[in-house]
Amino acid sequence: MGFNPQREDWHRPFLVYLMGPGVGDESVFEAEHADEPEVEAILGFRPTHAVNVSAYCNREIDHVATALLTAAVMDVIGGVAKVELLDGQASVVAGFPGVRGIADDDWMALGTAEFLRAWAAYPAFRLVK
């Protein structure tokens, strides 16, 4: 099937925004990251800023595109991805390259862009909504 821009299912809206001190809504950043002592313990520092990448679609291709877009952003600005996990995913992603740690009783993974690319290539890959 060729590209048809008239078809609604070809639209893939994403929201990418930065937040933290001096950028965006600082109170939202503080509220979203207030209860994450495990993140600081795993990384050895407390993150000061966050880039949020969200898709407004929920098909498999949208999940893969979100992970790869996030990895591309990380290639430019650096950082560590914080990814929420589904039940049973922690044991799968723990062995992937670029994993910095698993936190929040196996419900969150921290990793590099390399981790995101490896996970997106995994056959049972799926992001949490």
Side-chain angles (χ1 to χ4, degrees):
M1 174 184 285
F3 175 72
N4 180 350
Q6 302 303 315
R7 289 187 43 188
E8 186 174 324
D9 64 342
W10 283 96
H11 298 275
R12 294 287 183 256
F14 289 91
L15 175 62
V16 179
Y17 62 92
L18 176 65
M19 61 181 155
V23 182
D25 190 335
E26 292 180 42
S27 62
V28 171
F29 175 82
E30 290 299 325
E32 286 186 6
H33 299 87
D35 297 327
E36 295 182 336
E38 289 178 282
V39 171
E40 187 172 349
I42 290 169
L43 298 178
F45 63 90
R46 186 177 190 286
T48 61
H49 291 77
V51 176
N52 188 15
V53 179
S54 303
Y56 284 93
C57 299
N58 194 30
R59 291 173 41 198
E60 182 180 337
I61 187 67
D62 304 306
H63 288 250
V64 172
T66 301
L68 297 178
L69 176 58
T70 302
V73 169
M74 292 172 68
D75 287 341
V76 174
I77 66 170
V80 176
K82 179 183 94 173
V83 180
E84 293 179 25
L85 301 173
L86 296 170
D87 191 30
Q89 287 181 327
S91 61
V92 173
V93 303
F96 285 174
V99 172
R100 299 284 302 268
I102 305 292
D104 199 21
D105 292 330
D106 292 345
W107 294 104
M108 177 179 36
L110 301 169
T112 64
E114 179 184 26
F115 157 67
L116 288 177
R117 289 185 181 95
W119 190 27
Y122 184 73
F125 168 74
R126 189 80 176 163
L127 292 173
V128 176
K129 286 185 180 181

